């Protein structure tokens, strides 16, 4: 594909299509010289005799460069004949040639990466390839590349497409975000990746600094069947044992995991070919994190209202530490993928391609935090090297927290169908594409509190020997008595709450069976396009292309959060039975400490949830807050973009200067539903619809209420409605563009 074919002595020039085929129309009868160029292969020229009214066919088998033996330095000198050895081309060289060749002949500024250029990618993450591209910056989550930023533009404004069709994505950054997560793509299903930096009329208008296109494997990218397989082990350099060890999850897990992938390309004959690919991998990804809060720079200094000192004033050159957080955040993720492409050649000029791409991502996340927080410091008890907290009630707090523990299940399916006509006069393309993504985040639906907290208030905390990473020593004592406290023992803490994202337990929004077990996001993209192109061979070669493009995306999100305040088995708060030691997690407590800190006893979100099941009186909830959370997190949006564009291409100065220009018009229509807040829905009205005045003798209307303000949940059900707010917007935008390239030499082009 994309070999350059020219007719010597004429202005005729073309690039081979996805089948490696080329065609020239209206060639004069008689002898013709056909020249073929492809990066990394020997240029070939062949004479072809063209008969009037007939089709002449000439195939080329381009060869790699072969070294020729040098002549003897001295005439008559003997030549030493070595044993034969074979130099074979590598996949890396094949991939590099494909990428360079496409970049060389592109009308715009782009970088192209062949998927096999860097060898197998153990976890199949496309980001491991893209991080080598100039202008690309990747956003990492738990050590894995997740989102693409291009030339300084945030990831939400970098369109990512599969075979030219927009790729659906349900993101962890927010249910309404536009980011495309790389967990939805696997490298073994791809032939190459195109990073487009400059706009052409075919490019969508929301590509502020460019876009990224993933190209699936093509059955005719090889001339004979090829099967490639990889089997490997994934491991972290700090966890090299084959035995199970703590985290993530309730039970110990293996940290060294096997994986495999394969790809099979089979051009069955000249009219049909297919590719098949797949793979799976599981990876353990630990994250260790510390965060210090410094007064006078990142955090403000304050003085309590009663005149006592909170945090004394200081200057930016003399900050002091008042909070230190230690986090252990392991993750276990599995990525599975499958791909199938079918290529049919219907006639000499017509081809149909079907592509089916599917991925599945399962992730188990756990986060364990320990925070030392000073809430009162006396003047003179601090410097950049130490901070000594005050004693007494409210002087400092220890907090153990399980934050956002969850199981995420994500799946994507992207089928597409394209038709290409490569006739002697017209070249046409049409395509239909669908991309569907679904993400479910389980917490209480999987038998655990996603968040659980325990605190020890009224302690005195001292930070000493502070250096760039952490305090060298942390001392904790009881504020009133001065007795030493072990901050790493759960016996010193009281449970405060558990929380999670299940929302159907109270039939908040009438969810169906199983619907509320997880926060659920769906994203569906529908694409259709058609275009036609014609080449005019005038004194200057000129090509005109016009097309239509229709893209629609629909995002649907339902979720909800619940907080359960822990009051202990007796159902009474602050009665002394809120101790956390009964919920000790022996699995996580066995994990090694991070950054030199000792092992820390951890709270079990699973044990706390199990205890709730048998002792619901030990927890209190706020039904109104649960309802409002479910409504607030219930949104729906549809965006439809209708496009028409015209593009022109020409070449000047003996085809050294090439121009691509045109304009794109996009009509955008948006519909969205979200929560509606209308306090007047709780007002009583008469038969005519007028508000009933509760006190006619007082100036101004005092509406009579349907439900009293004390019935918070009842009022919310009347005045805070699920998806009752509706918005519509439409706008038209024009996008002109111009690309120019000048061939300074055969291997040097200025764009």
């Amino acid at each position: 594909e994309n070999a350059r074919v020219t007719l010597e002595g004429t202005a005729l020039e073309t690039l081979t299509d996805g089948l490696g085929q080329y065609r020239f129309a209206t060639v004069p009868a008689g002898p013709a010289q056909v020249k073929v160029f492809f990066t990394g292969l020997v240029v070939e020229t062949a004479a072809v005799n063209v008969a009037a009214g007939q089709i002449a066919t000439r195939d080329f088998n381009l060869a790699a460069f072969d070294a020729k033996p040098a002549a003897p330095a001295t005439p008559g000198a003997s030549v030493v004949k070595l044993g034969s050895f074979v130099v074979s081309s590598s996949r890396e060289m094949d991939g590099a040639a494909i990428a360079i060749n496409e970049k060389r002949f592109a009308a715009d500024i782009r970088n192209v990466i062949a998927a096999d250029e860097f060898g197998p990618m153990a976890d199949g993450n496309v980001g491991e390839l893209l991080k080598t591209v100039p202008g690309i910056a990747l956003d990492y989550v738990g050590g894995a590349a997740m989102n693409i930023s291009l030339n300084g533009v945030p990831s939400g404004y970098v369109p990512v497409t599969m075979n030219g069709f927009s790729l659906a994505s349900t993101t962890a950054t927010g249910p309404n975000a536009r980011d495309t997560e790389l967990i939805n793509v696997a490298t073994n299903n791809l032939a190459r990746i195109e990073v487009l930096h400059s706009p052409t009329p075919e490019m969508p208008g929301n590509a502020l600094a460019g876009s990224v296109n993933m190209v699936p494997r093509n059955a005719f990218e090889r001339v004979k069947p090829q099967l490639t397989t990889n089997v490997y082990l994934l491991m972290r350099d700090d966890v090299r044992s084959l035995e199970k060890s703590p985290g993530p999850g309730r039970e110990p897990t293996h940290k060294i995991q096997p994986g495999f992938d394969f790809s099979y390309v089979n051009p069955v004959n000249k009219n049909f070919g297919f590719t098949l690919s797949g793979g799976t991998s599981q990876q353990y990804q630990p994250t260790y994190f510390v965060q210090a809060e410094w007064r006078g720079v990142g955090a403000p200094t304050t003085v309590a209202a009663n005149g006592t000192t909170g945090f004394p004033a200081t200057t930016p050159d003399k900050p002091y530490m008042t909070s230190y957080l230690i986090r252990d955040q392991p993750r276990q993720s599995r990525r599975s993928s499958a791909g199938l492409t079918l290529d049919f050649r219907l006639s000499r000029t017509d081809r149909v391609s079907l592509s089916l791409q599917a991925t599945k991502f399962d992730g188990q996340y756990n986060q364990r935090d320990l925070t030392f927080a000073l809430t009162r410091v006396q003047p003179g008890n601090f410097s950049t090297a130490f901070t000594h907290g005050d004693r007494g009630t409210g002087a400092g707090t220890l907090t153990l927290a399980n934050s956002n523990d969850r199981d995420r299940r994500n799946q994507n399916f992207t089928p597409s169908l394209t038709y290409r006509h490569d006739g002697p006069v017209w070249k046409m393309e049409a395509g239909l594409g669908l991309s569907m993504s679904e993400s479910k985040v389980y917490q209480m639906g999987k038998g655990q509190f996603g968040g659980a907290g325990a605190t020890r208030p009224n302690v005195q905390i001292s930070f000493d020997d502070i250096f760039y990473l952490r305090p060298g020593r942390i001392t904790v004592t009881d504020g009133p008595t001065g007795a030493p406290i072990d901050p790493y023992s759960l016996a010193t803490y009281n449970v405060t709450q558990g929380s999670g994202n299940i929302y159907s337990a109270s039939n908040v929004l009438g969810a169906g069976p199983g619907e509320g077990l997880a926060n659920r996001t769906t994203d569906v993209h529908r694409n259709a396009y058609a275009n036609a192109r014609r080449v005019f061979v005038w004194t200057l070669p000129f090509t005109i292309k016009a097309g239509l493009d229709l893209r629609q995306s629909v995002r649907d999100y339902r979720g909800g959060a619940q907080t359960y305040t822990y009051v202990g088995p007796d159902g009474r708060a602050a009665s002394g039975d809120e101790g956390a030691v009964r919920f000790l997690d022996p699995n996580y407590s066995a994990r090694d400490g991070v950054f030199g800190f000792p092992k820390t006893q951890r709270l079990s979100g699973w044990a706390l949830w199990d205890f709730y099941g048998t002792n619901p009186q030990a927890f209190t909830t706020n039904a109104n807050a649960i309802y409002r959370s479910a409504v607030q997190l219930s949104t729906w949006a549809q965006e439809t973009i209708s496009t028409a564009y015209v593009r022109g291409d020409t070449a000047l100065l003996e085809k050294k200067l090439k121009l691509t220009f045109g304009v794109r018009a996009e009509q955008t229509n948006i519909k969205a539903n979200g929560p509606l807040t209308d306090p007047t829905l709780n007002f009583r009205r008469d038969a005519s619809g007028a508000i009933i005045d509760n006190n006619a003798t007082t100036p101004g209307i005092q509406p009579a209420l349907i439900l009293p303000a004390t019935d918070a949940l009842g009022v919310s059900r009347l005045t805070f409605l699920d998806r009752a707010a509706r918005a519509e917007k439409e706008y038209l935008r024009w996008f002109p563009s111009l690309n120019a390239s000048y061939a300074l030499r055969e291997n040097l082009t200025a764009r």
Side-chain angles (χ1 to χ4, degrees):
E1 185 175 3
N2 284 332
R4 183 181 65 186
V5 188
T6 56
L7 277 181
E8 298 289 273
T10 73
L12 295 176
E13 177 180 313
T14 189
L15 298 176
T16 57
D17 61 17
L19 298 177
Q21 297 180 341
Y22 66 95
R23 175 176 282 101
F24 291 112
T26 64
V27 178
Q33 292 290 322
V34 184
K35 182 178 179 181
V36 181
F37 172 89
F38 190 89
T39 301
L41 302 176
V42 176
V43 177
E44 288 195 19
T45 303
V48 179
N49 188 43
V50 181
Q54 301 296 317
I55 294 176
T57 301
R58 182 61 165 86
D59 292 336
F60 291 83
N61 292 310
L62 302 183
F65 290 97
D66 293 324
K68 296 181 180 180
T74 304
S78 62
V79 176
V80 178
K81 184 176 181 180
L82 302 179
S84 64
F85 73 97
V86 178
V87 179
S88 60
S89 63
S90 66
R91 292 175 60 204
E92 289 76 9
M93 287 300 296
D94 292 343
I98 293 171
I100 294 172
N101 197 76
E102 181 175 348
K103 181 177 178 180
R104 181 195 297 267
F105 296 124
D108 51 11
I109 300 175
R110 67 174 61 188
N111 289 96
V112 183
I113 303 174
D116 59 2
E117 184 174 350
F118 295 93
M121 290 293 162
D123 67 344
N125 194 319
V126 175
E128 297 304 310
L129 299 178
L130 287 172
K131 68 183 181 183
T132 65
V133 178
I136 287 283
L138 298 174
D139 301 327
Y140 284 84
V141 177
M146 192 65 69
N147 304 116
I148 304 170
S149 298
L150 182 59
N151 296 324
V153 172
S155 57
Y157 303 98
V158 179
V160 178
T161 57
M162 175 68 72
N163 204 23
F165 298 98
S166 62
L167 189 64
S169 177
T170 49
T171 71
T173 55
N176 301 316
R178 292 180 178 269
D179 308 69
T180 301
E181 291 188 342
L182 298 181
I183 62 173
N184 299 312
V185 187
T187 56
N188 63 297
N189 296 343
L190 303 178
R192 61 185 181 274
I193 306 168
E194 303 167 338
V195 181
L196 314 177
H197 295 278
S198 64
T200 62
E202 295 94 335
M203 186 180 295
N206 62 340
L208 298 186
S211 62
V212 177
N213 182 43
M214 315 285 182
V215 182
R217 293 186 180 276
N218 186 307
F220 297 101
E221 65 184 23
R222 300 284 179 182
V223 295
K224 59 182 179 180
Q226 182 184 57
L227 173 65
T228 303
T229 61
N230 295 291
V231 179
Y232 44 81
L233 290 176
L234 289 90
M235 60 179 287
R236 309 294 298 193
D237 59 356
D238 56 345
V239 185
R240 303 179 183 179
S241 173
L242 293 174
E243 302 296 327
K244 290 184 177 181
S245 58
R250 190 167 192 171
E251 302 296 333
T253 57
H254 289 290
K255 304 303 187 291
I256 300 179
Q257 298 285 352
F260 79 93
D261 64 66
F262 74 93
S263 63
Y264 180 60
V265 180
N266 189 349
V268 178
N269 52 47
K270 297 187 68 173
N271 296 322
F272 172 69
F274 69 92
T275 72
L276 184 64
S277 58
T280 184
S281 65
Q282 185 167 325
Q283 186 175 13
Y284 169 68
Q285 297 170 313
T287 301
Y288 309 120
F289 176 86
V290 292
Q291 178 175 303
E293 181 181 69
W294 293 83
R295 298 288 163 175
V297 282
T301 56
T302 59
V303 177
N306 60 7
T308 61
T309 301
F311 297 112
T314 188
T315 55
D317 61 322
K318 297 179 180 179
Y320 57 97
M321 183 186 297
T322 56
S323 177
Y324 194 76
L325 179 146
I326 309 163
R327 176 174 298 165
D328 180 14
Q329 187 178 7
R331 180 178 83 165
Q332 191 89 266
S333 61
R334 175 181 292 277
R335 183 202 312 272
S336 302
S337 66
L340 172 68
T341 62
L342 302 174
D343 291 284
F344 299 91
R345 186 185 181 200
L346 305 179
S347 67
R348 293 180 59 88
T349 60
D350 301 282
R351 178 163 64 102
V352 174
S353 297
L354 174 66
S355 172
L356 303 173
Q357 306 293 326
T359 58
K360 184 178 180 182
F361 177 86
D362 297 334
Q364 187 173 43
Y365 305 78
N366 295 126
Q367 180 176 310
R368 299 293 179 267
D369 293 347
L370 169 59
T371 304
F372 301 84
L374 285 67
T375 52
R376 193 166 64 241
V377 179
Q378 292 296 327
N381 281 350
F382 63 85
S383 75
T384 55
F386 72 90
T387 306
H388 294 162
D390 202 3
R391 292 184 60 178
T393 302
T397 303
L398 298 173
T399 303
L400 282 173
N402 300 359
S403 303
N404 202 20
D405 288 5
R406 64 198 186 277
D407 287 357
R408 183 182 180 189
R409 303 288 181 259
N410 203 90
Q411 54 188 6
N412 259 58
F413 181 56
T414 305
S416 62
L417 179 67
T418 57
Y419 164 77
R420 291 178 175 86
H421 172 77
D422 188 12
V425 178
W426 290 97
K427 302 181 186 300
M428 294 178 284
E429 292 185 20
L432 295 172
L434 177 66
S435 184
M436 300 176 289
S437 178
E438 180 185 62
S439 177
K440 293 182 178 180
V441 178
Y442 293 90
Q443 289 180 329
M444 291 185 289
K446 280 287 187 178
Q448 66 174 330
F449 277 116
T455 63
R456 172 61 191 265
N458 304 323
V459 295
Q460 182 184 21
I461 302 173
S462 295
F463 299 139
D464 290 289
D465 302 330
I466 299 173
F467 62 105
Y468 77 96
L469 180 63
R470 48 160 290 186
R473 290 183 293 116
I474 300 178
T475 306
V476 183
T477 59
D478 182 66
T481 67
I485 291 176
D486 182 2
Y488 311 105
S489 171
L490 203 60
T492 64
Y493 293 82
N494 287 331
V495 176
T496 56
Q497 67 175 35
S499 60
N501 65 4
I502 192 171
Y503 66 91
S504 67
S506 302
N507 195 29
V508 176
L509 299 178
E515 284 188 38
L517 296 178
N519 283 5
R520 178 175 178 267
T521 309
T522 61
D523 190 27
V524 179
H525 289 206
R526 300 177 179 90
N527 298 251
Y529 73 85
N531 60 68
R533 178 166 61 99
R534 181 171 181 178
V535 179
F536 297 90
V537 185
W538 299 333
T539 304
L540 295 177
F542 183 76
T543 301
I544 188 168
K545 179 180 180 180
L548 301 174
D549 191 352
L550 179 65
R551 304 187 179 208
Q552 183 185 81
S553 60
V554 179
R555 182 72 61 86
D556 192 323
Y557 177 64
R558 285 197 180 274
Q562 298 186 32
T563 298
Y564 294 75
T565 302
Y566 186 71
V567 294
D570 63 1
R572 296 183 295 112
S575 60
D577 62 346
E578 293 87 13
V581 72
R582 73 171 66 199
F583 304 112
L584 172 70
D585 187 334
N587 178 28
Y588 265 88
S589 300
R591 286 178 64 84
D592 292 332
V594 301
F595 298 107
F597 287 94
K599 292 181 179 179
T600 302
Q601 292 186 345
R602 301 295 187 176
L603 191 66
S604 172
W606 296 277
L608 192 62
W609 173 258
D610 293 342
F611 187 78
Y612 165 73
T614 56
N615 299 271
Q617 79 284 353
F619 299 81
T620 62
T621 59
N622 186 323
N624 182 51
I626 294 173
Y627 170 82
R628 296 185 70 86
S629 172
V631 173
Q632 186 66 42
L633 296 178
S634 177
T635 57
W636 177 90
Q638 174 184 284
E639 180 181 66
T640 304
I641 302 176
S642 308
T643 302
Y645 64 87
V646 177
R647 166 179 165 170
D649 294 82
T650 189
L652 309 173
L653 304 178
E654 298 180 349
K655 297 189 291 186
K656 290 185 176 181
L657 176 62
K658 296 185 178 181
L659 301 176
T660 297
F661 50 90
V663 63
R664 180 183 184 92
E666 289 190 351
Q667 171 70 28
T668 301
N669 294 82
I670 299 174
K671 297 179 180 179
N673 295 345
L676 173 67
T677 301
D678 186 356
T680 65
L681 296 176
N682 192 34
F683 296 168
R684 292 187 179 275
R685 300 175 183 271
D686 58 23
S688 65
I691 297 174
I692 298 175
D693 192 348
N694 196 39
N695 190 352
T697 62
T698 303
I701 297 178
Q702 297 184 12
L705 302 179
I706 300 173
L707 294 176
T710 54
D711 184 1
L713 177 59
V715 172
S716 291
R717 289 185 180 277
L718 286 177
T719 62
F720 191 56
L721 306 182
D722 177 45
R723 298 190 179 184
R726 295 175 174 82
E728 294 188 14
K729 186 175 182 179
E730 65 174 309
Y731 51 89
L732 175 66
R733 293 291 185 269
W734 297 84
F735 301 92
S737 62
L738 171 65
N739 285 267
S741 63
Y742 186 80
L744 300 173
R745 295 198 301 269
E746 181 67 25
N747 61 349
L748 180 61
T749 301
R751 296 191 185 277

